[in-house]
């Protein structure tokens, strides 16, 4: 209440201790809140309402004795309350027009009696009692600038003596203090919406408009002039008796398309006054229009030509600004996460905050440390989260001063500057400007300061600025990473109850972790953090229970987990257990970063096992229920996807009904979430029962629908999931009915090799399990030619998957004839010299099946495919041996191929495989040897008869 009246309530320009309250929306709101507080006080706090004020609140009232009823008595010209204090004096006394009130009880009654006059009474009371708390409780509770120690003194006094009156004062003071905070909060909301005018702001706006005024066609106005050339010391041009009403100056404005306008500029805003001037000294002060927030807004309502020409001028300014923005951002790379700033379109006027900051700039640049500190404090009173204020600080040259202040030895100036820089560096343009001015280098040096508050602020500001590549590099190159890691080195790690010193150390560590989190988006910085010893320190902080530091610590870890060295460290340092533990935190952001870290780390089997062993699969399953938070859902589904790569985890997920939950999330999700959901379903399909669950839960139609998407990662995962589902004949019927196979085939045209390969792998089970596979494949116009042409790809995974598809296609004789006509044999032969075992296996299978048509066996020999196949038998992969033996068996039906095989030492290699426990391999090897032997016998017989 004290601070609110001193700092928030708006007094007239002439007021210096004896001013009056202006009738403004803000004052009206504050007064109404005060009235409600006082009216309800006796009901809500009956004991405190009976407390007698140290001195009465006294003011001139408009109420007469007649309005008072029971509980009051009239003695001559005096009215007094029947209720009296311990001194026998009445708690309310009305003499003539002078009213004295000594308790909240009486104040409450008075406001109820006043009815519609209560607003005027409250206004008069506040005007006469500028610091009412002093009169209510005593001078020791007065509102003073700077640190308010009254609360501490009061608590100290309560501790020392057991005085009931002191205890009562404490309660009342706390109630008034709570009211004060509410009023200040309310005033901030009003001020942010309704900015006040002052002489400097008006003068700046007039000068700005004059620059664009004149006789030309594109000027915004013909002319704009003050009615008075004389300026008072407070900057006002209005006479003192009008300044009392908040008036600042008067203007004559001549637009291009209206008669001259006569304007009053006041602290409450701008309005049209009574009309044409008879002389400069004879102004009609009566308001004739609504009140507008500034001159530009007023003129936009009055002159269409002004609006049109102002837009032209702003367009010119904005074009130059945009050029500046584009040139500044063009140097950024794909590593930058920053989004371009969107400026408000059509905002042709600069609000009063802009001019207020401009006025402060001269004090900030003045050089006097005291004035600088005051200016810094005043600047913090602006809403620094607003883009207008942020860019105003940059535009008027304050940013350079703020950065320079960091390089002084005045700690108060450094702290004040960093508090502002921390706020405004949320703006992309400001971040770049701070970096360009060398601010990061100075902040890195400040990290060595013995002052803990200074270190915290520097680290937090670095966290904001280091959101683009160049800034992250600067921090590293000037030794910032090592210093930031040093901030994590603190003995209070893991403590639940902290001393003030330990709490401050924890805060330093939190700020250091925030900065490391921003810096860790760079690969080189990740390495620098590791080399500086950051991993064990991050691991120690991961064991603490404070979410405010856990969030940036886990954020840093999940960012670094993209590097194999970090994933190994996270596993070996025992961090998985803590990541799992924090999946059950109450803080969604922390849960999200833990899940994201698990998502990245679970690429490794050992980590997947640890997540299961530490009970991490169940909380991940539970978090699927929080489908509103999309960032959290993306991280959780990603972690489930990677954990599901291990079959043991899939079994656990089945217990927790994860497949059902994932199917339920297949619609109306962002692509980032869908990629992970479908990836997880694809892995869960390792278990046949899950393939059935997907069908029974209605999951196949939404999966097939996703095949029509464009996101490459999603297409890779959805083709895998659909292919896995297709291994069940009942599922295949649904996929075929939904035209799923045609959609898969069309994805073979996708330019992304990963999508091509995934689609080709998915086509294989579809062909295997379709009722009339041959006819289905032939129904795809140009489909067979398309798949044969993919054998020209340079991607090994595409080639292996296409060979697997051709193996299945070739099982139908008619289709085999078609792909032979499209030149499948020479294309397969060209691939024969590969050393990739996966490709070798599927290529050998394709060759084996293609040998069954016409003269394909002979053609394979002519196109030099036989000798390379023999070398496949030296592979260490048994599946390659089996496929190769089958291919060689088919090829050995041609005598020339037998000769080539024999020349390349096939018999010795096959003999070793005749004794294999794999019957298919055994039979193929024996059959091939038999064919070679028969040819040899036939040759001998022909030669020797």
């Amino acid at each position: 209440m004290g601070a609110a009246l001193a700092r928030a309530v708006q007094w007239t320009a002439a007021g210096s201790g004896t001013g009056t309250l202006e009738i403004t929306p803000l004052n009206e709101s504050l007064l109404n809140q005060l009235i409600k507080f006082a009216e309800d006080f006796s009901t809500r706090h009956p004991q405190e309402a009976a407390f007698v004020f140290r001195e009465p609140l006294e003011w001139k009232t408009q109420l007469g004795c007649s309005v008072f009823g029971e509980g009051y008595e009239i003695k001559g010209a005096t009215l007094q309350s029947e209720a009296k204090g311990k001194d026998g004096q009445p708690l309310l006394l009305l003499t003539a027009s002078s009213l004295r009130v000594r308790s909240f009880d009486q104040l409450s009654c008075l406001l109820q009696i006043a009815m519609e006059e209560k607003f005027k009474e409250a206004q008069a009371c506040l005007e006469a009692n500028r610091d009412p708390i002093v009169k209510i409780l005593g001078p020791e509770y007065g509102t003073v600038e700077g640190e308010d120690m009254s609360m501490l003194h009061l608590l100290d006094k309560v501790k020392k003596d057991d005085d009931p009156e002191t205890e009562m004062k404490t309660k009342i003071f706390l109630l008034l203090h709570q009211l004060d905070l509410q009023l200040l909060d309310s005033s901030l909301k009003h001020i942010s919406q309704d900015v006040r005018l002052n002489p400097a702001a008006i003068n700046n706006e007039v000068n700005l408009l004059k620059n664009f005024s004149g006789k030309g066609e594109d000027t915004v106005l013909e002319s704009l002039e003050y009615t008075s050339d004389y300026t008072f010391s407070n900057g006002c041009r209005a006479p003192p008796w009008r300044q009392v009403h908040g008036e600042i100056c008067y203007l004559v404005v001549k637009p291009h398309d209206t008669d001259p306008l006569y304007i009053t500029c006041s602290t409450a805003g701008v309005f049209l006054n009574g009309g044409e001037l008879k002389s400069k000294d004879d102004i009609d002060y009566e308001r004739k229009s609504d009140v507008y927030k500034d001159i530009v807004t007023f003129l936009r309502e009055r002159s269409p030509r002004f609006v049109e020409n102002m837009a032209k001028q702003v367009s010119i300014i904005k074009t130059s600004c945009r050029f500046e923005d584009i040139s500044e951002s063009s140097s950024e790379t794909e590593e930058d996460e920053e989004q371009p700033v969107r400026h408000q379109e059509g905002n042709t006027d600069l609000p009063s905050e802009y001019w207020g900051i401009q006025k402060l700039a001269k004090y900030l640049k003045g050089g006097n440390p005291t004035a600088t500190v005051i200016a810094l404090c005043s600047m913090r009173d602006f809403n620094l989260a607003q883009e207008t204020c942020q860019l105003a600080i940059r535009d008027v040259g304050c940013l350079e001063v703020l950065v320079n202040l960091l390089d002084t030895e005045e700690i108060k100036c450094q702290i004040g500057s960093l508090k502002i820089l921390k706020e405004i560096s949320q703006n992309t343009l400001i971040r770049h400007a701070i970096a360009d001015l060398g601010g990061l280098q100075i902040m890195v040096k400040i990290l060595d300061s013995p002052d803990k508050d200074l270190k915290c602020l520097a680290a937090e500001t670095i966290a904001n600025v280091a959101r683009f590549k160049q800034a992250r590099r600067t921090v590293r190159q000037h030794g910032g990473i090592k210093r930031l890691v040093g901030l994590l080195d603190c003995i209070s790690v893991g403590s639940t109850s902290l001393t003030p010193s330990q709490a401050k150390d924890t805060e330093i560590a939190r700020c250091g972790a925030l900065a490391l989190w921003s810096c860790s988006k760079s690969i080189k910085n990740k390495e620098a953090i590791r080399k500086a010893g950051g991993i064990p320190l991050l691991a120690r902080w991961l064991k603490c229970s404070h979410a405010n530091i856990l969030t940036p610590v886990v954020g840093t870890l999940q960012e670094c987990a993209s590097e194999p060295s970090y994933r190994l460290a996270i596993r070996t340092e025992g961090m998985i257990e803590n990541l799992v533990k924090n999946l059950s935190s109450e803080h969604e952001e922390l849960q999200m970063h833990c899940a994201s870290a698990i998502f990245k780390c679970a690429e490794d089997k050992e980590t997947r096992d640890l997540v299961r062993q530490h009970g991490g699969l169940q909380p991940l399953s539970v978090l699927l229920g929080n489908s509103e938070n999309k960032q959290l859902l993306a991280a959780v589904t990603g972690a489930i996807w990677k954990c599901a790569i291990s079959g043991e985890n899939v079994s656990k997920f089945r217990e927790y009904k994860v497949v059902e939950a994932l199917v339920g999330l297949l619609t109306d999700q962002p692509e980032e979430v869908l990629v992970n959901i479908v990836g997880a379903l694809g892995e869960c399909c390792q278990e046949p029962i899950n393939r059935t669950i997907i069908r029974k839960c209605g999951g196949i139609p939404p999966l097939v629908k996703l095949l029509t998407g464009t996101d490459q990662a999603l297409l890779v995962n959805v083709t895998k999931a659909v292919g896995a589902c297709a291994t069940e004949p009942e599922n295949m019927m649904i996929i075929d009915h939904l035209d799923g196979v045609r959609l898969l085939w069309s994805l073979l045209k996708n330019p992304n090799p990963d999508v091509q390969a995934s689609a080709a792998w998915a086509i294989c089970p579809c062909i295997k399990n379709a009722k009339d596979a041959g006819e289905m494949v032939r129904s795809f116009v140009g489909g067979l030619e398309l798949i044969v042409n993919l054998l020209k790809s340079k991607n090994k995974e595409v080639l292996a998957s296409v060979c697997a598809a051709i193996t299945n296609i070739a099982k139908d004789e008619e289709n085999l004839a078609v792909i032979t006509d499209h030149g499948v044999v020479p294309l397969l032969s060209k691939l024969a010299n590969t050393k990739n075992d996966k490709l070798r296996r599927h290529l050998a299978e394709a060759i084996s099946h293609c040998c069954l048509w016409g003269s394909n066996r002979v053609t394979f020999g002519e196109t030099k495919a036989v000798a390379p196949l023999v070398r496949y038998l030296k592979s260490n992969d048994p599946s390659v041996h089996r496929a190769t033996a089958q291919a060689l068996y088919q090829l050995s039906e041609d005598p020339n191929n037998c000769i080539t095989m024999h020349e390349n030492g096939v018999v010795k290699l096959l003999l070793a495989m005749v004794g294999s426990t794999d019957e298919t391999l055994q039979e193929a090897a024996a059959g091939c040897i038999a064919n070679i032997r028969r040819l040899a016998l036939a040759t001998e017989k022909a030669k020797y008869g």
Side-chain angles (χ1 to χ4, degrees):
M1 186 168 160
L5 295 182
R7 292 162 62 184
V9 168
Q10 297 161 344
W11 302 89
T12 55
S16 55
T18 58
T20 58
L21 280 170
E22 293 183 64
I23 302 306
T24 64
L26 173 57
N27 279 357
E28 195 172 336
S29 171
L30 295 179
L31 276 171
N32 282 328
Q33 288 178 69
L34 281 167
I35 290 166
K36 181 163 177 32
F37 174 83
E39 270 191 307
D40 297 346
F41 198 91
S42 58
T43 310
R44 297 178 67 182
H45 313 288
Q47 287 183 307
E48 289 79 7
F51 174 78
V52 179
F53 298 165
R54 177 77 166 267
E55 290 180 43
L57 296 175
E58 187 172 358
W59 69 92
K60 295 290 182 185
T61 182
Q62 295 181 9
L63 300 176
C65 296
S66 59
V67 298
F68 292 85
E70 287 182 20
Y72 299 92
E73 54 187 37
I74 299 174
K75 292 183 179 178
T78 303
L79 175 136
Q80 63 181 39
S81 64
E82 292 174 359
K84 293 180 172 54
K86 289 179 183 177
D87 56 3
Q89 295 298 313
L91 296 180
L92 182 145
L93 182 66
L94 175 58
T95 309
S97 62
S98 179
L99 183 64
R100 294 157 62 93
V101 178
R102 297 177 63 205
S103 76
F104 280 110
D105 220 344
Q106 289 300 318
L107 196 58
S108 208
C109 291
L110 174 76
L111 289 168
Q112 289 166 20
I113 289 165
M115 297 176 72
E116 65 268 12
E117 298 298 321
K118 69 177 73 171
F119 189 87
K120 288 181 180 176
E121 290 300 311
Q123 182 182 353
C125 176
L126 290 180
E127 286 174 351
N129 303 277
R130 289 289 282 267
D131 201 345
I133 292 178
V134 171
K135 291 197 171 183
I136 294 169
L137 298 175
E140 63 268 33
Y141 300 95
T143 303
V144 292
E145 290 300 317
E147 190 176 6
D148 182 12
M149 300 298 289
S150 56
M151 180 78 80
L152 297 176
H153 290 320
L154 183 62
L155 292 173
D156 194 43
K157 194 172 180 184
V158 171
K159 211 172 181 182
K160 285 179 182 173
D161 56 42
D162 196 18
D163 178 17
E165 186 180 349
T166 305
E167 190 179 342
M168 180 63 74
K169 282 186 176 183
T170 306
K171 289 179 181 177
I172 292 171
F173 184 81
L174 290 170
L175 290 169
L176 293 174
H177 184 68
Q178 188 179 13
L179 171 66
D180 206 27
L181 294 175
Q182 287 172 3
L183 293 175
L184 285 170
D185 183 55
S186 176
S187 69
L188 283 173
K189 287 175 184 172
H190 266 276
I191 289 164
S192 67
Q193 294 165 0
D194 182 26
V195 179
R196 310 265 305 149
L197 293 183
N198 55 49
I202 293 291
N203 197 44
N204 282 323
E205 196 173 9
V206 169
N207 290 337
L208 181 73
L209 289 169
K210 278 188 173 182
N211 288 338
F212 296 104
S213 297
K215 295 294 182 184
E217 280 187 18
D218 291 334
T219 58
V220 296
L221 298 166
E222 275 190 26
S223 63
L224 179 144
E225 299 294 339
Y226 288 110
T227 61
S228 171
D229 295 328
Y230 182 76
T231 307
F232 291 91
S233 58
N234 61 3
C236 292
R237 294 172 188 253
W241 61 89
R242 297 307 303 175
Q243 289 183 35
V244 172
H245 300 286
E247 291 174 10
I248 297 169
C249 65
Y250 312 98
L251 299 169
V252 183
V253 181
K254 180 66 183 78
H256 288 292
D257 51 355
T258 72
D259 293 332
L261 302 169
Y262 303 92
I263 297 173
T264 297
C265 300
S266 73
T267 54
V270 175
F271 57 85
L272 190 69
N273 58 36
E276 190 172 344
L277 301 173
K278 296 168 188 172
S279 71
K280 281 197 173 183
D281 300 322
D282 186 12
I283 298 169
D284 184 348
Y285 300 112
E286 187 181 352
R287 180 161 65 88
K288 297 290 186 182
S289 74
D290 291 335
V291 179
Y292 296 86
K293 66 175 183 174
D294 51 33
I295 302 168
V296 170
T297 307
F298 171 86
L299 290 170
R300 287 175 71 182
E301 291 290 316
R302 302 273 161 179
S303 167
R305 179 82 175 274
F306 173 82
V307 175
E308 183 185 334
N309 288 358
M310 193 71 178
K312 288 178 186 175
Q313 298 294 344
V314 170
S315 177
I316 294 165
I317 294 165
K318 281 192 175 178
T319 302
S320 64
C321 287
R322 280 203 194 97
F323 178 75
E324 181 190 340
D325 292 348
I326 290 163
S327 63
E328 190 168 353
S329 63
S330 62
S331 62
E332 297 186 22
T333 69
E334 68 280 359
E335 192 180 346
D336 292 321
E337 297 75 30
E338 301 205 313
Q339 298 296 317
V341 176
R342 293 189 179 277
H343 295 288
Q344 292 179 342
E345 293 298 325
N347 185 18
T348 58
D349 53 307
L350 293 168
S352 299
E353 295 105 321
Y354 195 94
W355 309 119
I357 287 169
Q358 188 179 64
K359 186 177 180 181
L360 278 176
K362 66 179 180 182
Y363 295 106
L364 201 59
K365 297 172 184 176
N368 181 311
T370 306
T372 301
V373 170
I374 292 168
L376 289 168
C377 293
S378 300
M379 194 169 281
R380 286 193 64 216
D381 287 338
F382 286 93
N383 182 2
L384 297 179
Q386 268 188 357
E387 189 186 44
T388 304
C389 295
Q390 294 164 352
L391 298 182
I393 289 171
R394 183 193 67 165
D395 295 346
V396 301
C398 287
L399 204 52
E400 291 89 336
V401 180
L402 290 170
V403 170
N404 289 338
L405 286 173
L406 297 180
D407 215 7
T408 65
E409 293 181 2
E410 288 283 341
I411 287 183
K412 283 186 178 179
C413 288
Q414 288 177 305
I415 287 176
S417 175
L418 279 171
K419 281 182 175 179
I420 293 167
L421 290 171
K422 184 185 84 170
E423 294 296 325
I424 65 175
S425 55
Q426 300 289 347
N427 183 296
T428 303
L429 298 177
I430 299 290
R431 286 201 275 276
H432 283 267
I434 290 171
D436 291 342
L437 291 166
L440 280 168
Q441 292 91 317
I442 306 170
M443 284 185 256
V444 166
K445 284 182 190 173
I446 289 173
L447 294 175
D448 292 330
S449 167
D451 189 285
K452 292 182 177 181
D453 289 326
L454 205 52
K455 283 202 279 199
C456 282
L457 286 166
E460 271 199 278
T461 311
I462 289 171
N464 287 342
V465 178
R467 292 186 193 174
F468 64 99
K469 186 178 180 182
Q470 183 57 50
R472 291 192 280 269
R473 185 187 300 138
T474 301
V475 174
R476 182 181 71 251
Q477 290 175 342
H478 288 83
I481 301 295
K482 191 172 183 180
R483 287 177 170 94
L484 289 169
V485 168
L487 298 185
L488 299 179
D489 199 358
C490 163
I491 57 168
S492 65
V493 178
S495 305
T496 49
S497 56
L498 302 174
T499 65
S501 174
Q502 287 176 326
K504 181 55 72 176
D505 287 343
T506 301
E507 178 61 10
I508 290 172
R510 183 188 75 84
C511 297
L514 277 172
L516 288 172
W517 188 4
S518 291
C519 292
S520 64
K521 289 178 173 62
S522 151
I523 293 172
K524 288 185 178 177
N525 283 355
K526 288 172 189 174
E527 181 62 15
I529 293 169
R530 190 182 64 76
K531 285 183 177 175
I535 293 177
L537 289 170
L538 289 166
R540 279 169 60 195
W541 278 111
L542 197 56
K543 292 180 172 70
C544 84
S545 56
H546 305 293
N548 64 337
I549 186 167
L550 275 171
T551 300
V553 165
V554 178
T556 306
L557 284 170
Q558 67 92 8
E559 203 63 64
C560 293
S562 56
E563 296 300 304
S565 59
Y566 271 90
R567 294 202 293 272
L568 176 64
I570 287 169
R571 188 171 75 244
T572 54
E573 292 273 354
M575 290 190 245
I576 297 298
E577 182 178 359
N578 295 107
L579 290 172
V580 164
K581 177 187 167 188
N582 285 306
L583 286 173
S584 303
S585 165
E586 294 176 356
H587 301 270
E588 288 188 359
E589 188 182 3
L590 178 55
Q591 290 176 319
M592 184 258 289
H593 292 306
C594 287
S596 186
I598 291 170
F599 179 13
K600 292 177 181 177
C601 292
E603 292 282 351
D604 310 318
K605 185 184 185 305
E606 294 88 343
T607 299
R608 294 196 291 273
D609 293 341
L610 284 171
V611 173
R612 182 181 68 257
Q613 288 159 16
H614 290 300
L617 302 182
Q618 187 174 23
L620 284 172
S621 308
V622 170
L623 286 171
L624 282 176
N626 191 348
S627 58
E628 295 304 311
N629 185 335
K630 299 306 178 187
Q631 283 186 306
L632 175 58
L633 190 60
V636 168
T637 49
I640 288 172
W641 170 20
K642 296 302 177 183
C643 286
I645 295 170
S646 293
E648 302 93 327
N649 291 348
V650 172
S651 299
K652 279 286 180 188
F653 282 141
R654 191 177 74 250
E655 287 178 33
Y656 303 137
K657 299 195 179 298
V658 166
V659 173
E660 292 91 328
L662 290 170
V663 170
L665 293 169
L666 272 174
T667 51
D668 299 323
Q669 298 295 343
E671 283 183 340
E672 181 189 12
V673 175
L674 284 172
V675 168
N676 297 342
I677 290 172
V678 176
L681 286 172
E683 294 300 339
C684 287
C685 282
Q686 296 171 64
E687 287 194 357
I689 190 169
N690 287 335
R691 301 196 283 267
T692 305
I693 290 169
I694 290 173
R695 182 183 74 250
K696 288 182 176 177
C697 289
I700 293 177
L703 282 173
V704 171
K705 189 177 180 182
L706 291 174
L707 290 170
T708 60
T710 55
D711 182 273
Q712 307 294 302
L714 179 56
L715 288 172
V716 168
N717 283 1
V718 78
T719 46
K720 180 177 179 180
V722 170
C725 287
T727 56
E728 300 288 329
E730 286 183 69
N731 291 354
M732 182 53 215
M733 284 173 64
I734 301 171
I735 292 167
D736 191 20
H737 177 70
L738 295 168
D739 217 16
V741 186
R742 186 184 300 278
L743 291 172
L744 285 170
W745 216 286
S746 68
L747 289 174
L748 295 174
K749 299 175 188 174
N750 192 290
N752 186 316
D754 294 336
V755 176
Q756 292 173 348
S758 189
W761 286 122
I763 284 168
C764 297
C766 289
I767 298 172
K768 274 184 192 173
N769 293 289
K771 274 192 173 179
D772 190 353
E775 183 57 41
M776 178 186 74
V777 170
R778 282 191 294 280
S779 71
F780 304 139
V781 178
L784 291 172
E785 185 180 6
L786 172 64
I787 207 156
V788 169
N789 282 334
L790 280 175
L791 289 171
K792 298 171 185 175
S793 172
K794 303 293 182 189
N795 185 288
K796 293 285 192 292
E797 190 69 19
V798 171
L799 294 171
S801 62
V802 169
C803 285
I806 286 170
T807 299
N808 287 286
I809 290 165
K811 290 175 183 175
D812 179 89
E813 192 177 68
E814 202 173 322
N815 288 339
L816 175 55
V818 174
I819 60 174
T820 300
D821 289 344
H822 286 307
V824 72
V825 173
L827 286 171
L828 289 172
S829 298
K830 275 187 181 179
L831 303 174
N833 283 306
T834 182
K835 293 180 180 176
N836 181 295
D837 274 348
K838 189 173 186 180
L839 177 53
R840 279 176 164 182
R841 173 194 162 189
H842 292 290
L843 174 60
E845 286 179 349
I847 289 172
S848 173
H849 282 82
C850 287
C851 284
L852 300 172
W853 178 255
S855 59
N856 283 356
R857 288 189 184 88
V858 177
T859 312
F860 277 122
E862 291 169 351
T863 50
K864 312 293 185 200
V866 177
L869 276 173
V870 173
R871 293 195 288 275
Y872 290 11
L873 296 174
K874 295 178 182 178
S875 165
N876 294 320
D877 186 343
S879 63
V880 174
H881 297 164
R882 185 200 303 179
T884 304
Q886 287 177 302
L888 291 171
Y889 171 57
Q890 290 296 334
L891 291 166
S892 66
E893 297 288 334
D894 174 63
N896 290 327
N897 290 344
C898 284
I899 294 165
T900 306
M901 289 178 204
H902 194 273
E903 287 172 352
N904 283 275
V906 78
V907 175
K908 185 179 179 183
L909 292 168
L910 286 174
L911 279 172
M913 295 177 186
V914 169
S916 170
T917 53
D918 183 335
E919 288 186 11
T920 306
L921 171 58
Q922 190 184 86
E923 287 177 13
C928 185
I929 292 169
N931 285 340
I932 293 169
R933 182 64 185 148
R934 269 196 293 276
L935 176 65
L937 288 171
T939 305
E940 283 182 26
K941 190 174 182 182
K943 190 174 181 181
Y944 301 108

